[in-house]
């Protein structure tokens, strides 16, 4: 397969399987090797915002998981094998601060270890210089045939 050069940012909706209101990230800002950066601006009707205007604290995990899907979506668009991602577990999860409506969040995900179809990923979510959450995900990537 050939490698195709991608021009970032890319709309997340075209790269992840989440559709309609289930797509919780806006853009894939960069994807290189085993790392991806994505972003989202928390608008008033964002799926993960509570009535108080704060991001649900479990929402950081969903943002990271969708960014991880985006990494594989970029691979597919670049002509490499496509894959389906299934979240297996969350470890060492820590919320440092709350995100609120109107803020733009940066989601960074990096694959640190791969064994068969299981990948270990580290993630962090920030707003400007403020760290909001971080943790590790275990994800099964099943290559689509």
């Amino acid at each position: 397969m050939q490698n195709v050069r991608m021009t970032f940012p890319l709309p997340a909706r075209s790269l992840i399987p989440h559709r309609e209101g289930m797509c919780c990230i806006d853009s894939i800002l960069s994807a290189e090797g085993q790392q991806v950066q994505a972003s989202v601006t928390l608008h008033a009707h964002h799926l993960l915002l509570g009535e108080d205007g704060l991001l649900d604290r479990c929402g950081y995990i969903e943002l990271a998981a969708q960014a991880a899907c985006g990494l594989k979506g970029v691979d597919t668009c670049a002509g490499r094998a496509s894959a389906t991602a299934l979240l297996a577990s969350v470890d060492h999860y820590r919320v440092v601060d709350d995100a609120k409506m109107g803020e733009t969040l940066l989601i960074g995900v990096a694959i640190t270890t791969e064994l068969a179809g299981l990948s270990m990923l580290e993630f962090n979510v920030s707003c400007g210089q403020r760290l909001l959450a971080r943790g590790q995900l275990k994800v099964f990537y099943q290559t689509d045939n």
Side-chain angles (χ1 to χ4, degrees):
M1 292 188 180
Q2 65 182 3
N3 287 335
V4 176
R5 181 151 173 80
M6 308 297 291
T7 303
F8 295 97
L10 296 168
R13 287 183 193 276
S14 65
L15 298 170
I16 66 176
H18 305 76
R19 295 292 175 248
E20 304 300 323
M22 296 304 294
C23 182
C24 295
I25 60 176
D26 296 332
S27 300
I28 302 297
L29 302 176
S30 66
E32 187 172 326
Q34 304 285 53
Q35 298 182 34
V36 64
Q37 284 198 328
S39 70
V40 61
T41 299
L42 299 174
H43 57 80
H45 301 290
H46 193 279
L47 177 66
L48 301 175
L49 279 184
E51 289 181 15
D52 58 0
L54 298 177
L55 182 74
D56 183 288
R57 286 187 156 208
C58 292
Y60 295 115
I61 296 167
E62 183 62 24
L63 296 176
Q66 289 192 19
C69 285
L71 180 60
K72 293 303 177 180
V74 168
D75 283 349
T76 301
C77 287
R80 295 181 288 273
S82 65
T84 301
L86 303 168
L87 181 61
S89 71
V90 179
D91 297 307
H92 307 291
Y93 180 54
R94 180 173 171 226
V95 175
V96 179
D97 201 356
D98 290 309
K100 61 182 179 282
M101 184 173 50
E103 292 185 318
T104 298
L105 310 184
L106 180 65
I107 305 110
V109 177
I111 297 173
T112 58
T113 307
E114 294 180 295
L115 179 61
L118 182 65
S119 296
M120 300 281 293
L121 302 93
E122 292 186 1
F123 74 90
N124 62 62
V125 181
S126 59
C127 180
Q129 298 298 313
R130 205 170 93 235
L131 176 66
L132 301 173
R134 64 178 175 209
Q136 297 175 338
L137 305 176
K138 289 183 185 133
V139 175
F140 284 106
Y141 286 115
Q142 180 178 359
T143 303
D144 301 330
N145 294 324

